[in-house]
Amino acid sequence: MTQERFIRLSEQSQAHKPKLARFSDKVAQYFVAIILITAIGTAIYWQQHLPEEAFWITLSVLVATCPCALSLATPTALTCATTRLNRDGIMIKSAHVMETMPNIDCFAFDKTGTLTTGEFAIDKVDIQGNDYSKQEVLAVAAALESHSEHPIAKPFTQHRDFNLAAKKITVQSGLGVCGIVNDQYYKIGKASWLLPPSVHEENKTLMNASCVLVSDNRIIAAFYLVDKIRDDAKTLINNLNVSHQTIMLSGDNQNACERVGKALAISQCFGNLSAADKMAAIKKKQKENITIAMVGDGVNDSPVFGAAHISMAMGCGTDIAKSGADVILLNNKLASINTLIRISIKTKRIVFQNYLWAFGYNAIVLPLAVCGFITPYIAVIGMSVSSILVISNSLRLLKK
């Protein structure tokens, strides 16, 4: 699948992202309508009973019940929360994140570059036959992998021989690379992609290779790479497992996924997945009424981001992944997800407190203003104090 196709698929997925209601705007609209109707009724009543005070009482009603506090309840909290998260290296790109995060039931993780550092090292090279030396297969692999952005391509860089010319390169995102090296057509990538089904059963060891090099439908070499699990991955998964589901959706082979999954105590691990397979897994969870967040870093994670309720990209990830994500972990720390959950829950609580105060204040002051017990200057003070309290409450989100 080409890079352009991934972009189109990502845009298509994002078009179906759930739309969360703008509660604050709707409430403010109804509230203003109620206040205006009340003010008109107040003016009519006092014009008939005490004409000389009708204007001042009506003015007090309008000033005292100004919806400033109500309108500030949500945006001030979200602004403070976003600022606090930015300080911790967490960039929020979509406004719905803070509302949706407290409702997340399941976290889905990519493996390479997300749960692991993505800093691969070649552990073993298994050469098939006697036609190539280890140095030759590494040089051919390096020439092909130099055109790939996948983390698995990086350890081949040190074996690059610039005397080998690579032509007509085709990158199959999430699968591998094809091209001509020294007039010979090669393919390098996932064993499940390059090897026929008969090999899958006959040589399971070969299927566990990180990638294989093939030419003329003949296996030339298999490469086994090792990757380090991120230091904070274990702590994050342990915390999430208390109240959330955790799953792994990876394009790597199943054995590698299960090995990492077992080390981190992840509930379910799915390997050998294409971008379409990952999207299908996400949508399957959603059909079970599960709100899901996806954490990834690669090109093939971008379309999956659009399908998830919340998408998070590692700061070291590809530009396409970061472009399509709702959240970017600029500090590359998985522990930041715990911070995001905690701040989003606190933000939700503070927004509720702000609304409670705004409605409570207006419920008390409106009858008093209508009855003529509040003068305009007292109304100004009350309205100002109400707004200041809402802002001060929101500012608590800036404290660590």
Side-chain angles (χ1 to χ4, degrees), residues 1-4 6 141 143-149 166-181 184-190 193-194:
M1 188 179 292
T2 64
Q3 185 171 340
E4 290 78 10
F6 270 110
L144 294 171
E145 292 286 16
S146 64
H147 298 272
S148 173
E149 294 183 0
K167 303 176 181 177
K168 297 183 179 180
I169 297 296
T170 302
V171 179
Q172 302 288 333
S173 295
L175 297 175
V177 184
C178 310
I180 298 175
V181 179
Q184 181 81 19
Y185 187 71
Y186 294 95
K187 295 181 180 179
I188 186 170
K190 295 167 59 176
W193 173 54
L194 294 175

Side-chain angles (χ1 to χ4, degrees), residues 220-242:
I220 295 176
F223 303 95
Y224 298 84
L225 282 66
V226 292
D227 191 10
K228 181 184 176 183
I229 296 175
R230 289 187 183 274
D231 295 334
D232 54 354
K234 181 69 173 178
T235 301
L236 170 67
I237 299 300
N238 286 341
N239 290 337
L240 292 179
N241 282 338
V242 174

Side-chain angles (χ1 to χ4, degrees), residues 58 70 93 191 251:
T58 303
L70 188 62
K93 291 179 56 186

Side-chain angles (χ1 to χ4, degrees), residues 63-73 353-362 365 378-393:
V63 173
T65 57
C66 176
C68 293
L70 188 62
S71 299
L72 290 170
Q353 292 170 356
N354 288 346
Y355 276 122
L356 188 64
W357 166 252
F359 281 117
Y361 163 76
N362 283 286
V365 79
I378 294 296
V380 170
I381 294 174
M383 181 269 293
S384 301
V385 170
S386 177
S387 298
I388 291 172
L389 284 175
V390 166
I391 294 173
S392 299
N393 191 40

